[in-house]
Amino acid sequence: MTRQLIVRELDASFADRAGELLRQAYQQIYPNGTADGYLDRVAEVGERLTKATVLGCFLDLELTGCTTLVLDHNSEFAEGLIEGEAGLRMLGVDPKFQRLGVARMLVGQCLVRAVEHDKGALLLHTDKKMVAAQSLYEHMAFSRVPDRDLSFPEVELLCYRRALVD
Protein backbone atom coordinates (compact mmCIF):
# COMPACT_ATOMS: atom_id res chain seq x y z
CA MET A 1 0.00 0.00 0.00
CA THR A 2 1.41 3.39 -1.02
CA ARG A 3 1.44 6.11 1.56
CA GLN A 4 0.20 9.41 0.20
CA LEU A 5 0.50 13.03 1.28
CA ILE A 6 -2.76 14.98 1.32
CA VAL A 7 -3.48 18.59 2.20
CA ARG A 8 -6.66 19.76 3.88
CA GLU A 9 -7.90 22.57 6.10
CA LEU A 10 -7.23 22.11 9.77
CA ASP A 11 -9.89 22.43 12.43
CA ALA A 12 -9.53 23.25 16.11
CA SER A 13 -8.83 19.62 17.02
CA PHE A 14 -5.41 19.98 15.35
CA ALA A 15 -4.50 23.41 16.77
CA ASP A 16 -2.25 22.16 19.58
CA ARG A 17 -0.43 19.58 17.45
CA ALA A 18 0.04 22.09 14.62
CA GLY A 19 1.38 24.68 17.06
CA GLU A 20 3.84 22.18 18.51
CA LEU A 21 4.94 21.14 15.02
CA LEU A 22 5.53 24.76 13.98
CA ARG A 23 7.47 25.53 17.15
CA GLN A 24 9.75 22.53 16.51
CA ALA A 25 10.29 23.51 12.89
CA TYR A 26 11.08 27.14 13.70
CA GLN A 27 13.38 26.20 16.59
CA GLN A 28 15.66 24.70 13.97
CA ILE A 29 16.17 28.22 12.62
CA TYR A 30 15.95 30.04 15.96
CA PRO A 31 17.35 27.58 18.53
CA ASN A 32 17.40 30.27 21.23
CA GLY A 33 14.00 31.71 20.30
CA THR A 34 13.58 35.37 19.49
CA ALA A 35 13.42 38.36 21.80
CA ASP A 36 10.04 39.40 20.38
CA GLY A 37 8.37 36.04 21.16
CA TYR A 38 7.84 35.10 17.52
CA LEU A 39 7.94 31.37 18.25
CA ASP A 40 4.96 31.81 20.57
CA ARG A 41 3.02 33.62 17.83
CA VAL A 42 3.89 30.94 15.28
CA ALA A 43 2.51 28.31 17.68
CA GLU A 44 -0.84 30.13 18.17
CA VAL A 45 -2.59 28.13 15.47
CA GLY A 46 -5.94 28.14 17.28
CA GLU A 47 -6.15 31.93 16.99
CA ARG A 48 -5.32 31.85 13.28
CA LEU A 49 -8.01 29.25 12.57
CA THR A 50 -10.68 31.88 13.21
CA LYS A 51 -9.04 34.56 11.05
CA ALA A 52 -7.37 32.76 8.15
CA THR A 53 -7.15 29.38 6.45
CA VAL A 54 -4.73 26.96 8.10
CA LEU A 55 -3.76 24.05 5.88
CA GLY A 56 -2.24 20.82 7.11
CA CYS A 57 -0.38 18.17 5.17
CA PHE A 58 -0.98 14.59 6.31
CA LEU A 59 0.78 11.31 5.69
CA ASP A 60 -1.96 8.83 6.43
CA LEU A 61 -3.42 10.30 9.64
CA GLU A 62 -0.25 12.02 10.86
CA LEU A 63 0.14 15.80 10.56
CA THR A 64 3.47 16.43 8.84
CA GLY A 65 3.36 20.18 8.20
CA CYS A 66 1.11 23.22 8.06
CA THR A 67 0.87 26.78 6.84
CA THR A 68 -1.47 29.74 7.03
CA LEU A 69 -3.08 31.09 3.87
CA VAL A 70 -4.25 34.70 4.09
CA LEU A 71 -6.87 35.64 1.51
CA ASP A 72 -7.80 39.10 2.82
CA HIS A 73 -5.26 41.91 2.39
CA ASN A 74 -6.85 43.64 5.42
CA SER A 75 -6.25 40.68 7.74
CA GLU A 76 -4.01 41.15 10.77
CA PHE A 77 -1.91 38.36 9.23
CA ALA A 78 -1.58 40.06 5.83
CA GLU A 79 2.04 41.20 6.39
CA GLY A 80 2.34 43.67 3.54
CA LEU A 81 -0.27 42.27 1.16
CA ILE A 82 -1.90 44.60 -1.30
CA GLU A 83 -5.39 44.18 -2.73
CA GLY A 84 -5.56 41.21 -5.08
CA GLU A 85 -2.77 39.26 -3.38
CA ALA A 86 -2.96 36.22 -1.13
CA GLY A 87 -0.29 35.55 1.47
CA LEU A 88 1.44 32.40 2.65
CA ARG A 89 2.56 32.60 6.28
CA MET A 90 4.22 30.46 8.92
CA LEU A 91 4.95 27.35 6.89
CA GLY A 92 6.59 24.61 8.89
CA VAL A 93 7.32 20.91 8.45
CA ASP A 94 7.84 18.44 11.27
CA PRO A 95 11.61 17.79 11.29
CA LYS A 96 11.10 14.03 10.87
CA PHE A 97 9.12 14.62 7.64
CA GLN A 98 11.38 17.19 6.00
CA ARG A 99 12.58 16.55 2.43
CA LEU A 100 9.52 14.42 1.55
CA GLY A 101 7.69 17.11 -0.44
CA VAL A 102 5.48 18.34 2.40
CA ALA A 103 6.34 22.02 1.93
CA ARG A 104 5.89 21.72 -1.84
CA MET A 105 2.41 20.21 -1.31
CA LEU A 106 1.42 23.01 1.08
CA VAL A 107 2.67 25.76 -1.23
CA GLY A 108 0.97 24.10 -4.18
CA GLN A 109 -2.36 24.00 -2.36
CA CYS A 110 -1.97 27.68 -1.40
CA LEU A 111 -1.48 28.49 -5.09
CA VAL A 112 -4.60 26.53 -6.05
CA ARG A 113 -6.73 28.19 -3.38
CA ALA A 114 -5.43 31.66 -4.22
CA VAL A 115 -6.50 31.13 -7.84
CA GLU A 116 -9.89 29.82 -6.68
CA HIS A 117 -10.32 33.08 -4.72
CA ASP A 118 -9.44 35.19 -7.79
CA LYS A 119 -6.13 36.42 -6.39
CA GLY A 120 -3.59 37.72 -8.85
CA ALA A 121 -0.52 36.68 -6.87
CA LEU A 122 0.72 34.73 -3.87
CA LEU A 123 3.21 36.58 -1.67
CA LEU A 124 5.39 35.29 1.15
CA HIS A 125 8.34 36.28 3.30
CA THR A 126 11.06 33.89 4.40
CA ASP A 127 14.01 34.34 6.72
CA LYS A 128 17.30 34.98 4.98
CA LYS A 129 18.63 31.89 6.82
CA MET A 130 16.01 29.57 5.24
CA VAL A 131 18.03 28.63 2.18
CA ALA A 132 16.13 25.40 1.46
CA ALA A 133 12.83 27.30 1.50
CA GLN A 134 14.22 29.92 -0.87
CA SER A 135 15.29 27.17 -3.27
CA LEU A 136 11.81 25.62 -3.14
CA TYR A 137 10.12 28.95 -3.88
CA GLU A 138 12.44 29.64 -6.80
CA HIS A 139 11.78 26.15 -8.23
CA MET A 140 8.04 26.85 -7.92
CA ALA A 141 8.39 30.01 -10.09
CA PHE A 142 8.30 32.60 -7.29
CA SER A 143 10.37 35.71 -7.93
CA ARG A 144 12.28 37.82 -5.43
CA VAL A 145 10.78 41.22 -4.68
CA PRO A 146 13.57 42.97 -2.72
CA ASP A 147 11.67 46.25 -2.36
CA ARG A 148 9.09 44.37 -0.25
CA ASP A 149 11.60 42.68 2.09
CA LEU A 150 11.00 43.21 5.80
CA SER A 151 13.66 43.86 8.39
CA PHE A 152 13.42 43.46 12.16
CA PRO A 153 16.16 43.65 14.82
CA GLU A 154 16.83 39.89 14.79
CA VAL A 155 15.43 38.87 11.43
CA GLU A 156 15.71 39.82 7.78
CA LEU A 157 12.77 38.52 5.75
CA LEU A 158 13.08 38.12 2.00
CA CYS A 159 9.95 38.65 -0.10
CA TYR A 160 8.91 36.21 -2.81
CA ARG A 161 5.91 36.59 -5.11
CA ARG A 162 4.31 34.47 -7.78
CA ALA A 163 1.90 35.94 -10.26
CA LEU A 164 -1.17 33.77 -10.79
CA VAL A 165 -2.65 35.40 -13.88
CA ASP A 166 -1.05 36.53 -17.11
Side-chain angles (χ1 to χ4, degrees), residues 51-99:
K51 300 173 183 175
T53 301
V54 181
L55 300 174
C57 185
F58 292 82
L59 182 60
D60 299 326
L61 298 175
E62 191 165 2
L63 182 63
T64 62
C66 63
T67 193
T68 299
L69 175 63
V70 181
L71 296 167
D72 179 358
H73 70 282
N74 291 313
S75 166
E76 66 187 87
F77 300 110
E79 194 171 63
L81 294 181
I82 58 175
E83 190 169 354
E85 291 179 333
L88 186 156
R89 299 283 318 275
M90 303 175 211
L91 187 147
V93 177
D94 183 316
K96 69 184 179 201
F97 292 105
Q98 290 176 351
R99 308 206 58 77

Side-chain angles (χ1 to χ4, degrees), residues 29-48:
I29 305 300
Y30 311 108
N32 300 316
T34 60
D36 67 356
Y38 185 67
L39 293 181
D40 293 332
R41 285 197 307 281
V42 167
E44 292 172 351
V45 174
E47 177 189 344
R48 287 196 301 283

Side-chain angles (χ1 to χ4, degrees), residues 86-113:
L88 186 156
R89 299 283 318 275
M90 303 175 211
L91 187 147
V93 177
D94 183 316
K96 69 184 179 201
F97 292 105
Q98 290 176 351
R99 308 206 58 77
L100 296 178
V102 172
R104 180 178 295 277
M105 291 279 297
L106 288 164
V107 173
Q109 188 57 219
C110 287
L111 290 165
V112 167
R113 288 173 182 244

Side-chain angles (χ1 to χ4, degrees), residues 135-146:
S135 178
L136 170 66
Y137 303 137
E138 290 165 6
H139 280 100
M140 293 185 77
F142 282 80
S143 300
R144 281 279 290 119
V145 188

